[in-house]
Amino acid sequence: MTDDPAAPCYITTPIYYVNDRPHIGHCYTTLLADVAARAQRLIGRDVFFLTGTDEHAEKVSRSAAEHGVTPMEWATRNAERFKDAFAFMGFSNDDFVRTTEDRHTTRASAYIQKLVDSGDIELGDYEGWYDPSQEEYVTESTAQEHEYNSPVTGKPLEKRTEQNYFFRLDKYEGWLTQQIESGAIRVLPEARRNEVMGRIRQGLQKVPVSRRIKEGDTDWGIAMPNDPAHRIYVWIEALCNYLTIVDTDDRRKYWPRDEPLAVHLMAKDILWFHAVIWPCMLCALGEQPPATVYAHAYWISEGRKMSKSLGNFIEIDQLRAYADRYSLDAVRWFLTTQGPLGSTDADFAHARFIEVYNSDLANGIGNATSRVGNMFDKYFEGEVTRTCNGEFGFPDGKALPIALAARDAAGKPVDDPTRTFDFAAASAASVRTSVEATGRVSLDEAAAAGIELSRMVDDFISYTAPFTLAKQLDEHEHGEKALATILYTCAEALRIASLLLYPAMPAKMADLWRTWDCSTLNDPDDPDSGFKAPLADLATWAHPEHGIRVGQTIRKGDPLFMRADPKEDPPAAETPSS
Ligand code: MSP
């Protein structure tokens, strides 16, 4: 991946089936893409973030028929639900593709025609185990292993024979192995990469890319170019969306012809399509493969797998109920930091939500910002009166006087009196950690770097006890200067922490920037309009332009997060209509 902070960056989510309404799983992957997109924009990159809906599936037309409407009406109804859910979640996607749109279907057909012309797609007979619930064929060994039931839904597989067009995936085995092994295509997390490599080593076979239209079929789907008796298999068509939507003059920079750049996010269920079939299709088309394919694990609910039959999906309305009580950013924070980002599933449990909310947010960044704002209000009428250079200390090099180490009732230091707090170095390290973790899509680690910096501020406050110092100003030669320096140090560290927390909690950080008059970072009234400089400058300690400055207003404002009562029942969602 490039180190150029201004380089283009393309982030995608799966496009979701519109047979049903969205749930936590769809919101989660799209949230990760949003957090990654915001983090990359903050770094200074030119980001294109795409999400959308996959509409030509058989299950969409089946479900439409069950509801007595046309497939298009049903697709539109559910696509709107996805759009609403994503707007509610505060996602900053640059576009939303519906695969029924012309801009997708025309280009997808052209790609398929190109593969037919190059001999990468050919006609042949196919017999295999078809999983109607997932709309895909599974291999004989997978079928056997799951006793001829769907490995995903457990529903029975069907033996199907059909004349099909096939993509010659087998031709690309050597190329793909080399791409993944060399890291040209990063398959993450590591455990998933090993699984994929293991399966590739068993050999790649031709994959069907069409199905023959049967009596009684609806005309839902895209016809095979030059052979209307066949319809393009929905999976193959859907994968093309990543390219169709940026295959225009002004967006081609997001899918350059000379280097892999795209980052595809998804869950483990559909990794094979993204890490194997799609890169090989791209190679056959003469295009670059994706740079990163990241497959996270699943959300489960109160310890159980979410499924239709158990009726325990965490629905959008439940997330709305949490957002109403604890704020949307608290929901975003919980999902980002506690979700199944790695290779193990994560549980959405109320008790855990409250624990994380109180510890990271109410007692963490919320408390730190409100204490510091409060002290500025109380001791300096809400105005910053001095800054300090780099390290904690006076510019003239003299150690801070005090009592700076917190004292016990008997006046003895309770901590090591020689302890130093090098916030300039610590904040630079937090920014490095966060940027590096963002590059690996370890967005939980990237966010945690912000919280750790705010915890260092808490430690510093306990150590320097500014509230004690404020009562003893006369006893110290430099009492007031010391107090102002301590508060400046806290505010500057929290300003930098807030930048690292912004991708996960954009609205709350914008609230803080308004209360603290941080208009040198971005426009606090329109935070999504962009930052005034790349993160490397914004997050430089005591930056002359973007740092906390003399004369800046810092007030207490409303607390960012109120403490939650662990005994309170989970917020109840209204039962959604189907
Ligand atoms: N339409 C295909 C994808 C085509 S992409 C070219 C599809 N759609 S889907 O609606 O079934 O979405 C699957 C995706 O939804 C998963 O890969 C994941 O991103 C998200 N999730 C669905 N359930 C999930 C959980 N329980 N937990 C986390 N994410 C999950 O497959």
Side-chain angles (χ1 to χ4, degrees), residues 13-19 23-26 28-29 54 59 82 134 235 238-242 265-270 274 296-300 306 313 340:
T13 71
I15 47 174
Y16 305 107
Y17 287 133
V18 281
N19 56 314
H23 59 68
I24 187 177
H26 308 122
Y28 176 65
T29 313
D54 182 359
K59 59 179 156 195
F82 274 92
Q134 290 305 99
W235 254 109
L239 285 167
C240 293
N241 92 89
Y242 301 127
L265 303 178
M266 76 225 60
K268 56 190 176 183
D269 52 341
I270 57 177
H274 288 83
H296 58 75
Y298 280 147
W299 276 103
I300 55 174
M306 292 190 289
F313 272 110

Side-chain angles (χ1 to χ4, degrees), residues 177-191:
T177 306
Q178 191 276 331
Q179 291 287 302
I180 299 181
E181 275 178 353
S182 70
I185 304 176
R186 289 190 308 171
V187 179
L188 295 171
E190 191 70 18

Side-chain angles (χ1 to χ4, degrees), residues 219-241:
D219 61 359
W220 196 234
I222 308 184
M224 196 64 198
N226 293 318
D227 192 349
H230 287 262
R231 201 157 290 148
I232 304 173
Y233 177 36
V234 67
W235 254 109
I236 298 299
E237 177 228 310
L239 285 167
C240 293
N241 92 89

Side-chain angles (χ1 to χ4, degrees), residues 7 11 41 46 80 97 146 150 163 170 193 246 269 275 287 313 321 335 355 358 386 434 456 496 519 552:
I11 299 171
R41 287 192 201 107
D46 170 6
E80 288 306 317
V97 52
H146 294 272
S150 162
Q163 202 185 40
D170 52 319
R193 174 185 178 277
V246 293
D269 52 341
E287 298 283 354
F313 272 110
L335 298 181
E355 196 182 309
N358 277 338
R386 59 177 288 125
S434 172
M456 184 166 161
I496 295 171
S519 50
Q552 178 166 346

Side-chain angles (χ1 to χ4, degrees), residues 24 31 57 130 137 174-175 227 238-239 245 256 263 273 280 285 318 352 378 395 464 511 551 554:
I24 187 177
L31 172 63
Y130 186 73
Y137 280 92
W175 172 82
D227 192 349
L239 285 167
I245 299 307
V263 178
F273 290 98
C280 294
L285 285 167
Q318 195 166 340
R352 180 75 186 138
K378 222 158 134 186
T464 56
D511 286 347
I554 293 192

